[in-house]
Every structure is written in C-alpha cells, then in structure tokens.
C-alpha cells in the first residue's frame, strides 16, 4: 500500500467490520481502550464506531499530551511568559489551553511576547535572532516529541546559546497506562497501542500489559483500516485465548524503537520522581526533566515559577473522560458551556482531545441515537 486512499477503502472496511462481528461473542461486552488521541479522531472522523458491533465499545485513553497537562503547569508557563524579558514559544494547540486566569493567547493579547512555533528549532532560531532576550520553549508531548526537544538542546549546547531555555513538560506513556490498569474503576479487555509514541519507544515497553495484567495490546496506525485491523487482531487474541503485544503498524514502528532518538533522550532528560496528570493525580516517574548536564537550559531553574496545584473547574469532567470512565457527551458541560470556541477543559482544545473529536465528528451521530431512543 502506497497511498492514503488505500487505507480508507469503504468496502474493505465493511468486510473487516463483518469479520470483527463474526468473532465477537453475542453475550459478551468488549471494552477496548485506544490510548492515543490521534486514534480517537480517526474513530469519530471516519465513523468507525458505527461500523463496529454493539458488543465492542471503544474507550478513550490519556494519550493527548495537551489534555493531560494540569492547570498548575499551564499557570506556571503563563507566569514565565508574562516576564518582560521573555519571548515565550510554544506549539499552537497549547495557546488556547485554559489556566486558572486565562490562556497564553489572552496573555499575548495583553502584551506578552508569546509566539507559536512548529518546531523547537524555530524557538532556537528566534533565540539566535534576539540575543538580548530570553527565549523559552514550552516543551510538551510524549516520547513522540521529546526527541526533537532533545536534539534542539544538543544543538543549543553546541552553539553555546546562553539566552535559550526549555520549560519541560514531556511525559511518558507507560506509567499512566499502568495507573489505569491499577484503577478499580475501569474494566478493560484490551488496548489499541499508540502509533506515534511507538515509532520512538518501539513495542517492547508494552509487554507489561499481557505479562502483568493479562491484557492484549496491538500497536496501531492512524488510518481507518489500521484501526479496524487492530481491533480485529485484538478480538482474535481474545477468541483464541492469546495475550500478547502485536504490531499492526509495522510499516512505521520498529519493534525495538528508534535507537538514535532514545540515545538523545537518555543524554538530555532524566525521570522526575513524580508528575501531576490531569484527572490521574500524581504518578511516579511519569515525566521528564532536563538532566544535570543540561541544567543550564532548564527554564524552571532559570525563572521563578509558582509551583502550586490548581484544581480544575468543578463543572469540567476532563479527568473522568481521560480515564475512560465517562464519554465526552456525558460531561455536564459538553457542547453547552464548553465548546471548541470557548473551552473549559483541555480536551475541547487540542486537535487530539477526545471532546473536540466528539464535538466535531461524533456529536450528530450521538444526537440521532438520543432522538431515536426517545421515540
């Protein structure tokens, strides 16, 4: 297969869905979590949920890096951005994530020098062009984006740029998944593993799922047929009594990961003892900070940040959605007080957020079901 259209063939999709239905036991309910927010968008955008039999339920996981960032870390970023000597750089979806007193876009409107970048290398270029200003890159993301931050820091160190620093919020995927599996609130049968993260870390880190928890995992790509095939692979494992890690996305994901990227990360980062996750609380060794070797580039050490915890708005139920306990439309403010135009929670902001995906692509389908059920 060479082209995107081949991964979106409706006839093949219906055939795979029929095979999933033939494998599913009629009296059993299957609960499958897709960890990655990119998968959530594919599911809603292409109507995959409607192709699956009623016994198979897809549950959204904590795989959107913007969505899992607690409000306290947003506030800390804003406190750095407000400093007059700082040019604060970040990815576009981070600009609208609400903190307790606003977001970065609002701070920019009030005069803060906040600039959207497409890569940490853009922030490095801005630092070169503005030697009299402090340039801070707000680094977020799982292991997917951490290598680009690591390589940028290696280059900054080689060039000896004294006015560049990183406010590091990179997180890792395995600890929150383990926390979910330890949660008594959630019963899951299997996992669709994240494709983007796995291009860096490979498949081996997921082996704890079958070995420690008896849950199969299939690493999946992001096209509709990728996801349907992954669900079928999981259903076959459950039917045959197998429990293992499989790689559906082998055209991109090497089993051992990207070793060069992992080496760069190992040089630049080290694990934090604890990190707070929205909805999941503090999880041990679940995030990265700059290593001592790169401490001079650590914005948290260069600037004074408040370091306080901030509770989410009471009406917002992002935490329950991130844990898969609630579906987006079950949140009390979904689509009313919280919309993509005026988000209360991060899940409605990010392009990988489950609430944004449901609002943009799945809302009408849900409304039809609700109207039908009322008749």
């Amino acid at each position: 297969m060479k082209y995107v259209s081949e991964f979106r063939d409706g006839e093949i999709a219906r055939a795979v869905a029929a095979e999933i239905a033939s494998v599913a036991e009629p009296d059993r309910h299957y609960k499958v979590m897709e960890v990655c927010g990119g998968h959530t968008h594919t599911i809603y955008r292409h109507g995959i949920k409607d192709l699956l039999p009623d016994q198979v339920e897809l549950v959204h996981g904590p795989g959107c890096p913007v969505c899992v960032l607690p409000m306290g870390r947003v506030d800390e970023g804003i406190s750095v951005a407000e400093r007059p000597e700082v040019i604060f750089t970040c990815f576009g979806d981070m600009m609208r994530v609400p903190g307790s007193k606003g977001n970065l876009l609002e701070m920019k409107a009030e005069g803060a020098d906040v600039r959207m970048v497409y890569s940490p290398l853009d922030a490095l270029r801005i630092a070169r062009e503005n030697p009299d200003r402090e340039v801070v890159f707000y680094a977020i993301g799982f292991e997917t984006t951490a290598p680009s931050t690591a390589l940028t820091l290696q280059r900054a160190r080689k060039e000896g740029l004294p006015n560049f620093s990183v406010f590091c919020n990179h997180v890792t995927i395995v600890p929150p998944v383990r926390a979910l599996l330890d949660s008594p609130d959630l019963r899951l049968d299997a996992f669709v593993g994240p494709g983007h993260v796995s291009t860096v870390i490979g498949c081996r880190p997921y082996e704890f799922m079958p070995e420690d928890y008896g849950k199969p995992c299939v690493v999946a790509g992001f096209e509709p047929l990728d996801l349907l095939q992954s669900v079928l692979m999981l259903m076959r494992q459950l039917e045959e009594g197998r429990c293992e890690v499989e790689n559906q996305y082998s055209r991109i994901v090497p089993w051992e990961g990207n070793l060069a990227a992992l080496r760069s990360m190992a040089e630049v980062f080290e694990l934090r003892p604890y990190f707070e996750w929205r909805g999941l609380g503090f999880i041990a060794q679940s995030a990265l900070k700059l290593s001592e070797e790169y401490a001079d580039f650590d914005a948290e050490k260069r600037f004074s940040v408040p370091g306080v915890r901030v509770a989410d708005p009471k009406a917002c139920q992002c935490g329950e959605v991130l844990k898969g306990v609630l579906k987006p439309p079950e949140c009390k403010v979904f689509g009313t007080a919280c919309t993509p135009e005026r988000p209360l929670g991060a899940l409605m902001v990010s392009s990988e957020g489950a609430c944004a995906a449901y609002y943009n692509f799945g809302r009408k389908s849900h409304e039809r079901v609700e109207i039908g059920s009322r008749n």
Side-chain angles (χ1 to χ4, degrees):
M1 290 186 175
K2 297 179 181 177
Y3 307 106
V4 169
S5 59
E6 294 177 286
F7 293 85
R8 299 180 178 180
D9 187 296
E11 188 175 339
I12 297 175
R14 284 186 287 274
V16 177
E19 198 163 348
I20 292 171
S22 72
V23 174
E25 296 176 23
D27 298 327
R28 181 174 174 181
H29 184 74
Y30 300 86
K31 213 166 183 177
V32 177
M33 174 172 276
E34 86 271 3
V35 175
C36 180
H39 286 154
T40 303
H41 266 251
T42 299
I43 288 165
Y44 285 127
R45 183 172 188 176
H46 296 279
I48 289 176
K49 174 177 168 290
D50 297 328
L51 281 176
L52 296 175
D54 293 339
Q55 303 99 302
V56 179
E57 178 186 3
L58 296 176
V59 181
H60 324 303
C64 164
V66 169
C67 305
V68 300
L69 202 62
M71 288 185 78
R73 295 295 288 186
V74 179
D75 280 2
E76 288 174 348
I78 288 174
S79 74
V80 175
E82 288 177 321
R83 299 175 69 99
E85 74 273 27
V86 166
I87 299 174
F88 195 83
T89 62
C90 64
F91 295 138
D93 54 356
M94 195 62 228
M95 301 275 280
R96 294 177 61 242
V97 176
S100 64
K101 298 176 182 175
N103 59 41
L104 286 165
L105 200 58
E106 291 167 343
M107 296 303 109
K108 179 179 175 67
E110 293 175 8
D113 195 343
V114 180
R115 305 185 190 184
M116 186 185 77
V117 294
Y118 291 98
S119 158
L121 287 173
D122 291 341
L124 200 64
R125 175 183 49 78
I126 293 171
R128 288 191 204 102
E129 294 171 351
N130 297 271
D132 56 337
R133 303 282 301 278
E134 288 283 344
V135 177
V136 180
F137 175 64
Y138 195 83
I140 64 165
F142 285 87
E143 290 94 333
T144 317
T145 53
S148 62
T149 303
L151 289 170
T152 301
L153 283 164
Q154 287 174 323
R155 182 172 294 186
R157 188 177 184 219
K158 186 176 180 181
E159 295 181 15
L161 280 178
N163 64 324
F164 178 74
S165 61
V166 168
F167 188 69
C168 185
N169 295 278
H170 285 301
V171 290
T172 57
I173 192 64
V174 168
V177 173
R178 190 181 284 276
L180 284 173
L181 284 165
D182 286 332
S183 171
D185 301 331
L186 197 60
R187 184 193 66 79
L188 295 169
D189 293 289
F191 286 86
V192 174
H196 293 144
V197 167
S198 304
T199 60
V200 176
I201 67 173
C203 300
R204 198 174 293 283
Y206 308 121
E207 290 176 346
F208 76 96
M209 296 184 191
E211 291 174 1
D212 298 346
Y213 295 91
K215 307 295 181 187
C217 174
V218 172
V219 174
F222 292 89
E223 292 300 325
L225 290 184
D226 286 326
L227 277 165
L228 284 167
Q229 185 184 13
S230 301
V231 173
L232 178 59
M233 291 166 73
L234 289 169
M235 296 295 290
R236 282 177 173 159
Q237 284 201 43
L238 293 169
E239 182 197 29
E240 297 166 6
R242 291 185 292 118
C243 187
E244 55 195 75
V245 178
E246 293 183 294
N247 185 9
Q248 183 277 335
Y249 205 24
S250 58
R251 67 183 186 276
I252 301 293
V253 174
W255 187 265
E256 298 294 341
N258 184 329
L259 300 182
L262 292 171
R263 279 195 297 271
S264 290
M265 289 172 60
E267 178 187 322
V268 172
F269 300 119
E270 60 186 38
L271 287 170
R272 294 177 186 268
Y274 291 93
F275 192 77
E276 184 184 5
W277 290 62
R278 184 185 289 251
L280 300 177
F282 284 90
I283 301 176
Q285 299 189 324
S286 63
L288 304 174
K289 64 177 183 178
L290 302 197
S291 65
E292 282 303 314
E293 195 175 343
Y294 286 82
D296 290 345
F297 295 96
D298 192 338
E300 288 185 76
K301 294 183 176 178
R302 188 173 296 191
F303 305 100
S304 175
V305 294
V308 296
R309 292 189 68 189
V310 180
D312 287 333
K314 287 184 179 178
C316 176
Q317 295 180 285
C318 277
E320 285 82 355
V321 176
L322 279 171
K323 288 189 289 188
V325 176
L326 291 182
K327 294 290 178 62
E330 294 171 336
C331 173
K332 290 177 286 190
V333 294
F334 174 84
T336 54
C338 185
T339 64
E341 290 75 25
R342 298 188 66 83
L344 283 181
L347 272 70
M348 192 58 95
V349 177
S350 170
S351 59
E352 294 189 22
C355 293
Y358 207 96
Y359 188 91
N360 289 322
F361 304 118
R363 185 164 49 110
K364 297 301 180 187
S365 172
H366 174 73
E367 288 172 356
R368 284 199 300 273
V369 172
E370 288 295 300
I371 292 169
S373 65
R374 284 199 292 271
N375 293 332

